[in-house]
Amino acid sequence: MADLDHNTPPSDRAMQRAAKRWRDWLKEQDIGAAVFQQQAWRAYADGHSGLISAPTGRGKTLAALGGPLMQAMAEAESPEGRAAHGPRMLWVTPLRALASDTRERITGPVAAVLPHWQVAMRTGDATSRDKRLTDTGKAQLVVITPESLALLLSHERSREQFSQLRCIVVDEWHELLPSKRGVLLQLNLARIQALAPGAQVWGLSATIGNLQEASDVLLSAWQVKEPALIQDMRPKPFHLHSITPPLGTRMPWAGHLGLANLGEVAKLVFSAPSTIVFTNTRAQAELWHTALASIWPEDAETLAIHHGSLDQGVRQSVEQRLRAGTLRCVVATSSLDLGVDFPAVERVIQIGGARSVARMVQRAGRAKHRPGAAVHVEAVATQAMDLAEFAAVRELAEAQVYERREPLRLCFDVLSQHAMSAALAGGFRPPELLAEVRRTAAFRELSDAQWLAMLAFLEHGSDSLVQYPQYERLHCADGLCQPANTGVVRMHRMSIGTITAHGAVNVQYLRGARLGSVEEAFIARLSPGDVFNFAGRSLVLVRLENQTAWVRRSVEVGLLTPAWAGSLMPMSSSLGERMQQLLSTAAASPAADDAPHARELQWLQPLLQLQSQRSLVPGADQLLIEQVGNTQAAKAAPLFVYPFAGRVAHEGLAVLIATRLAHLQANTFAWACNEIGLMIQPTLPIDANAVDWAEIFKQDGLDTDLRSAVNFSELARKRFKEIAQIAGLVQSKVPGKKSRASDRQLQVSASLLFDVLSKYDPEHLLLRQARQEALDQELHLPTMQRLLASIAGRQIALRFPPKHTPFSFGLWAESFRGQLSNETWQDKVRRMAEQQERQARGEPTPGAPRSARSPRTQRPGAPPQRAPHPGSPNKAATKAAPKQAAPRKGMRSTVQRAPQPQDTH
């Protein structure tokens, strides 16, 4: 069988005939090629690689597909071109669900213009037929995930398998860019470049704030012509409609579930044929699904739920029914954010703020996912400040100001996994692999010492582990590095990838299907017979066995809903800054009735007026610090700081402020955070006027102070568990066993290794990475550096309101979430908010006990007498809706912290 030379492009005449066939097919489908699509096709024909950026639903798929298909049609005119063996095109997608959808979308045009081509899917759910087509080289186009690509490249046959590759398309590159999956893909693209140097790489991305950097990172290993950055410049209208109560109606000052808006959301759902209701957390999705189900008047099968902890089969069933138009409503999380096409969906509802302009626009694009259609979203405010966020998102989206996605660098756990994969694929010579790795953006700055330390780790783990043969995975002799034994080969292939196990327990019917997974900590709190809500069902726990919770359906509605630990959805700095600017402008001069954001800001006017009366609505060049209450009283008055930087940034800033205040005097602190600010509750009084705030917010010593503020070793231990799994030090899967290791087993194994290395090899490569990740991802050092730089340019505005302000009240409400009370958290916040409003109007508080009326004994809205312990369970159950399981215990430190609501993906 003849191989087609990569350096012999098809003739100009053949390309012209192929282009005509492509145009004819587009005309038959009534598709008019957009300018950016034609630009992409020309750039591909000229031999360029590049990045295509366009809003959701604009036709990025056709833009990336057209060039390779025209090239293949031209090459197919020769017998050698038709007979070429192995895949000619790879389509890399971040999600298995997206892989299935992508295959359906591209099969039509491929079959029309290249009928001899086979399209296969290679993911964890691939059929035996798809695997056979890929392994035998009979599939010309393969839709694949990054993990499956890494697995194929770990086989020696990959050298021949990918030699005829012409093009790699990386879909949703903006999602992979800031993750270790993106780092692994960079390394695999560098490997493919060595196998098929003539191939071209094209990325597809939604609009982000650093497109040029995203392009550079993707194409860093490709030494080719000047990369092309192609953008669809056509304006796409973005409409955000805020759902608010009538003017003068009270809205919560705190909270994030928004179940009080159930009736309004139900009206919106039933006024459209098909709707997606987006929430920010899996627990919130479960609660909203349960609430909608309780009033659902139609067939229960027309209401569904979709999130990342559900079984793949459950999610696929929901996606198929949503695509077919048989579902009236799906409650979802970010699991449906990406580019799966659902043309039947006519409406998108967002519960609360999405915390990001790009995320809100991406979710809005799920409705009417068709080229040229306007983007529309109904945004439901769960608390007052959501309205300011909605107004800011609308302005920034219209101005096309989107957030950046920061790429990761020097992930040695991913590098060691990649090096082992190269060893499995016939072995590697260290100088050659080092040169290949250094072509990637992630490892461009890799030093010789770091490279040698990585090789030593693979050869014997560590000097302290040299006596243990299980850590001898790589054998290097005569300049060639290969696996130490066949057992290493089996173990490594079972653990390829960067998605690690996180203490999941399978949930499965006694005689039926698997529903998904919940965290061990949640199931551990249940007893057989307890009823809980999961996967849109009420379930009875029968027994827990072999990491599986065996359940059956319950006729009763459960009162418990699982919560998942995970990353907070951070508010972007640009969004927070615009929120602050809008609030300041609105406080100074109320918006005209025809202003784009007039509706939201008009509703906020009473709160802004009260904030101005009691304190200040800070401008863009101000940092407001409030000390609420009587500063001369024996009890310490709390401090409130409002950077408008998002909850994640405020968590780190609260740790820093408490630590630096503790340097001034011995004290104990608790804190609470939300999207606009943070509260610091000292045990002993602090005179805010006497504090040198410039010293508190200085950038010098940030790293040291953050490390000293918490039990940094435990944070590094937490990161090491994930790093050890990716690097292959600990295994969640064992050959011959169906079940995974439990989270407790993984934690024990990783902790033991962490202790041994910390004692005998403290500068081990993976320990250094764990410490750096603890700083960057747990204490948010880069975010803190940017925040402190921003604060340095602002004027400190100190205010001493005697009573809580609208800004401080939400933070105060968060501070006592988790205390034991026979009053629900929602009822307590509602009662105190009404009390504050009556006082603002000068009305007496009817029926209030003396301690609640008299500021001499206890101020309305005063902070709790004692800061609750992090992770204290909320014993008060909400009667109007199922309650969420208590959050897991947070980190302990000498500087105490008030518990925060779970906010996970």
Side-chain angles (χ1 to χ4, degrees), residues 20 82 223 322 426 650 679 730 853:
K20 182 179 184 304
R82 292 180 66 91
Q223 307 297 326
L322 193 59
H650 295 157
M679 167 187 166
V730 298
R853 293 198 306 268

Side-chain angles (χ1 to χ4, degrees), residues 853-876:
R853 293 198 306 268
S854 172
R856 289 191 299 271
T857 54
Q858 181 181 338
R859 299 185 308 279
Q865 295 295 318
R866 179 175 61 85
H869 189 281
S872 300
N874 184 0
K875 300 295 184 180

Side-chain angles (χ1 to χ4, degrees), residues 176-466:
L176 292 168
L177 175 64
S179 69
K180 289 184 179 180
R181 300 180 75 203
V183 174
L184 181 62
L185 183 58
Q186 289 180 57
L187 292 168
N188 287 329
L189 289 178
R191 170 114 302 227
I192 291 175
Q193 201 272 341
L195 302 178
Q200 294 165 256
V201 176
W202 283 82
L204 305 183
S205 173
T207 306
I208 57 176
N210 55 330
L211 278 174
Q212 186 61 59
E213 182 181 23
S215 175
D216 294 343
V217 171
L218 176 67
L219 305 174
S220 57
W222 240 254
Q223 307 297 326
V224 291
K225 294 183 178 181
E226 184 70 22
L229 180 57
I230 295 173
Q231 296 178 260
D232 182 7
M233 305 306 294
R234 295 172 296 170
K236 185 167 186 176
F238 174 76
H239 303 296
L240 186 152
H241 178 249
S242 298
I243 306 301
T244 61
L247 288 174
T249 304
R250 192 184 65 80
M251 179 179 285
W253 290 10
H256 69 289
L257 290 179
L259 289 170
N261 298 292
L262 178 62
E264 190 65 33
V265 170
K267 290 179 184 178
L268 291 171
V269 167
F270 290 115
S271 63
S274 185
T275 300
I276 299 178
V277 176
F278 278 109
T279 67
N280 289 342
T281 75
R282 287 168 282 185
Q284 189 181 16
E286 291 281 355
L287 290 165
W288 264 94
H289 182 276
T290 302
L292 282 169
S294 69
I295 61 170
W296 197 253
E298 299 183 1
D299 185 348
E301 292 299 314
T302 61
L303 174 67
I305 185 171
H306 192 288
H307 60 69
S309 288
L310 300 180
D311 183 74
Q312 180 71 12
V314 175
R315 296 200 303 271
Q316 285 182 339
S317 172
V318 172
E319 292 158 12
Q320 290 167 2
R321 288 185 289 155
L322 193 59
R323 192 177 294 112
T326 60
L327 281 177
R328 191 69 181 269
C329 177
V330 175
V331 184
T333 62
S334 54
S335 58
L336 285 184
D337 276 5
L338 299 185
V340 180
D341 277 340
F342 300 118
V345 175
E346 291 291 330
R347 171 163 285 158
V348 164
I349 300 173
Q350 168 67 38
I351 305 297
R355 312 299 183 226
S356 160
V357 179
R359 187 180 298 114
M360 183 71 90
V361 173
Q362 184 89 356
R363 290 180 172 183
R366 297 304 98 208
K368 302 177 181 178
H369 192 170
R370 296 181 287 276
V375 175
H376 190 103
V377 61
E378 307 282 349
V380 179
T382 63
Q383 57 166 298
M385 281 302 152
D386 283 345
L387 296 175
E389 181 179 334
F390 295 159
V393 165
R394 184 189 295 112
E395 285 201 359
L396 293 173
E398 290 173 353
Q400 297 188 21
V401 177
Y402 298 102
E403 294 81 8
R404 294 172 56 86
R405 300 291 179 97
E406 301 294 343
L408 299 180
R409 314 279 180 182
L410 296 177
C411 300
F412 299 110
D413 52 348
V414 182
L415 178 60
S416 60
Q417 183 185 115
H418 178 73
M420 277 306 306
S421 294
L424 268 61
F428 66 86
R429 298 190 179 279
E432 295 174 2
L433 185 59
L434 174 59
E436 180 183 302
V437 164
R438 280 179 172 161
R439 287 201 298 270
T440 67
F443 295 98
R444 190 174 290 150
E445 299 173 358
L446 180 69
S447 69
D448 290 343
Q450 290 167 330
W451 171 254
L452 293 174
M454 189 276 300
L455 289 179
F457 160 66
L458 292 178
E459 287 182 294
H460 55 261
S462 163
D463 291 342
S464 57
L465 301 174
V466 72

Side-chain angles (χ1 to χ4, degrees), residues 8-60:
T8 307
S11 67
D12 290 342
R13 286 181 175 273
M15 285 298 296
Q16 290 170 4
R17 288 190 290 269
K20 182 179 184 304
R21 288 182 60 193
W22 179 245
R23 290 194 301 269
D24 290 344
W25 179 82
L26 292 173
K27 187 175 181 179
E28 291 172 5
Q29 306 302 312
D30 197 25
I31 297 174
V35 172
F36 85 98
Q37 292 173 325
Q38 297 178 54
Q39 290 173 340
W41 300 336
R42 285 196 297 269
Y44 186 90
D46 291 340
H48 293 277
S49 294
L51 182 70
I52 301 170
S53 174
T56 299
R58 283 298 187 90
K60 293 191 292 291

